[in-house]
Every structure is written in structure tokens, then in C-alpha cells.
Amino acid sequence: MKLNRAYETEIVAAILYTSLFFVILSIGLIVFFYYSRKRIIKNELEKKDLELHFQQQQLYAVLVTQEEERKRIAQDLHDDISAKLNIVSLNSHLLNRPNLTISETEEITANIVNLTSKALESTRRIAHDLLPPVLDKFGLHAGIEELCADFNSSKSVKVVYENNITFDPADKSKHLHVFRVLQELLNNSLRHGLATQINIAFSQEETLTVCNYNDNGCGFDASDAQNQHGLGMKNISSRISFLNGVINIHSEQNKGVQIIFKY
């Protein structure tokens, strides 16, 4: 009897210890999963914060660029068109003066015609900068060709453009962003990089459109993050983001720039 009782006691103790072990193990697993989940949530929140900060930077870059563009347009309107129209107005009033000779009338009229033509030309230039008519009417390929021709006409840089794809007219909303990215890159290469040769090539990579851009300018240290976060580069990154694309920048001092963006 004593042996049976001792055996039963051992079994009960074993059951209790086993139950206690599983209870402790369960509590440990619950605590582990709780803190793991908490850490995952924290990482997700940090990721969301970084994404939000990046989006805010992009929005800021777009807003600043828009304000700079508005200032430039306002400056052009005030200094160029407004000034010419003021002179046209003054010359028009001169025509009302009595006793004007034929030669004086002809001279004033010629001034009015000349200034009006210049004001119209300035108006067309501003409108072209806002939305190039070739891009709007004939598509991205024609728009890029005209853009490259404009830069080539300066004789200070040679721009070579190659295109092995057909741009889909249905993606017209994207085309303006692509055009503005190239416009910004060309301006940077000429103004900051002092490049004399620029190459632009478009190709297809599965479902993605790929643009390979490179120049022979002075380049910059791409490992320095500050060099890739100027206002111009922020504006480019913002437009690439709107395209749901990615951009890779490779550059070294005195070795030009290579930029590949896909969308």
C-alpha cells in the first residue's frame, strides 16, 4: 500500500510539474509574441514615418519649384511683356498728337508694330516653357526631339537622343513628368556639370520604360547624400515618384554623370 501511495504521489507530482512547465512555456510564448508583435508594429510605424517624411520632402520640393516658376513667370511678364506694352501704350498716345508729320507717324507706327511683335514672341516663349505645344500635340518623342534641338542650337553642348520604343499616347499624363525630368537633367548638366556631350536613350525592359542619361561633365561625389538632395534632384525624385518609378544616380568627380530611371 505504501508503495502504491508513493507511486501515486510521484505521478501527481510529475503531472503538476509538467502542467507547470507548460503553463510557464505558454506564458513565455505569449510574452515573446507580444513583444515581437510590438517590435514589428514599432518598425512599421517608423517605416511609415520615414515614408511620410519622404513624401513631405517631395511635396515641399514640388511647391518650392512651383513658386520659383511663378516668380520667373511674373518676372518675365513684368520686365519683358509689361514693359513693352507700356511703351506701345505711350507710342499709341503719341499718334493722337496734332500736327504729326508723315515720317513721324510712320516711325511711331513702326515702333508699335515692332514692340507688339516682340511682346507676342515673349508670350509664346512663356507659354512654350509652361507646356511645349509640340509635346501636347505630337507626343513625348517629338517633345524630346525639340528639347534636344533647342540645347544643340546653343552650340555649347551636343545632345544625342536615341529612342527604341513607342511612347503610348494613353500615358500622356506621365509624359509631361518625363519631359520635365529630362529638362531638369539637361539644365543641370549644362549649368552645373559644364558638360559638352549628353546622351539620352530610351529602351524597354519587360513592362518598364527605361531612360539612360549620361554626360561628360565635371560630375560630383554621389556617395555624399547632400549632393543628391538639392532642390533640382528633389524635384526630379518627386516626378519619378509620381511615375511610380525608380532612379539610380552614378557619378564621380570629373567623370560625368550617369542616371537611369525606370517607370
Side-chain angles (χ1 to χ4, degrees):
M1 291 292 292
K2 288 182 180 180
L3 288 174
N4 288 338
R5 286 180 182 176
Y7 181 69
E8 288 175 358
T9 302
E10 288 178 1
I11 291 174
V12 170
I15 292 171
L16 287 172
Y17 284 127
T18 303
S19 300
L20 182 62
F21 169 76
F22 281 111
V23 168
I24 293 171
L25 180 63
S26 299
I27 293 171
L29 289 172
I30 291 169
V31 171
F32 172 77
F33 284 119
Y34 170 76
Y35 282 105
S36 295
R37 180 62 180 167
K38 190 175 180 181
R39 186 168 61 253
I40 291 170
I41 292 172
K42 182 182 178 183
N43 291 338
E44 286 294 324
L45 288 173
E46 288 176 350
K47 184 180 177 182
K48 291 289 183 185
D49 285 341
L50 287 173
E51 289 176 355
L52 181 60
H53 179 65
F54 179 66
Q55 289 171 357
Q56 287 174 336
Q57 282 189 319
Q58 288 184 322
L59 180 59
Y60 172 76
V62 171
L63 291 174
V64 170
T65 302
Q66 287 177 343
E67 286 304 315
E68 290 297 324
E69 188 67 11
R70 288 191 183 104
K71 288 178 183 177
R72 186 188 63 77
I73 294 168
Q75 194 76 24
D76 284 347
L77 289 171
H78 180 270
D79 295 347
D80 197 349
I81 297 175
S82 180
K84 288 181 174 65
L85 291 178
N86 280 333
I87 299 173
V88 168
S89 178
L90 290 171
N91 277 271
S92 298
H93 286 299
L94 289 176
L95 289 173
N96 294 323
R97 292 173 59 184
N99 305 320
L100 282 175
T101 64
I102 294 175
S103 62
E104 287 175 333
T105 302
E106 288 177 347
E107 183 182 355
I108 294 170
T109 304
N111 284 337
I112 291 172
V113 171
N114 182 46
L115 289 166
T116 303
S117 297
K118 288 182 178 179
L120 286 171
E121 183 59 35
S122 296
T123 303
R124 280 194 290 268
R125 177 178 56 78
I126 293 171
H128 183 278
D129 289 342
L130 290 173
L131 181 61
V134 171
L135 176 66
D136 188 45
K137 290 180 181 178
F138 303 108
L140 182 58
H141 178 66
I144 296 173
E145 282 187 325
E146 185 184 59
L147 179 65
C148 294
D150 287 343
F151 275 84
N152 281 327
S153 67
S154 70
K155 305 299 182 183
S156 59
V157 64
K158 181 181 179 182
V159 183
V160 178
Y161 167 55
E162 295 179 15
N163 181 24
N164 299 312
I165 64 174
T166 301
F167 295 113
D168 188 352
D171 290 335
K172 195 173 181 179
S173 60
K174 294 181 178 180
H175 292 170
L176 182 59
H177 289 300
V178 176
F179 182 86
R180 293 301 188 203
V181 167
L182 290 175
Q183 198 174 40
E184 187 76 45
L185 290 175
L186 285 163
N187 281 324
N188 286 346
S189 291
L190 198 59
R191 191 181 308 153
H192 304 299
L194 305 177
T196 57
Q197 174 82 28
I198 299 172
N199 298 291
I200 302 170
F202 279 85
S203 59
Q204 197 74 27
E205 188 177 289
E206 296 179 352
T207 60
L208 296 176
T209 298
V210 181
C211 177
N212 193 320
Y213 178 99
N214 63 77
D215 69 32
N216 67 344
C218 59
F220 58 89
D221 183 5
S223 63
D224 186 350
Q226 251 187 335
N227 288 332
Q228 296 193 27
H229 289 86
L231 182 58
M233 292 310 300
K234 282 183 179 179
N235 187 35
I236 290 170
S237 296
S238 298
R239 292 190 183 277
I240 297 297
S241 179
F242 292 146
L243 293 168
N244 293 318
V246 293
I247 184 168
N248 291 305
I249 303 170
H250 307 278
S251 182
E252 294 180 36
Q253 290 285 356
N254 303 316
K255 291 189 177 180
V257 173
Q258 182 182 34
I259 295 174
I260 299 173
F261 64 87
K262 305 176 183 180
Y263 63 95

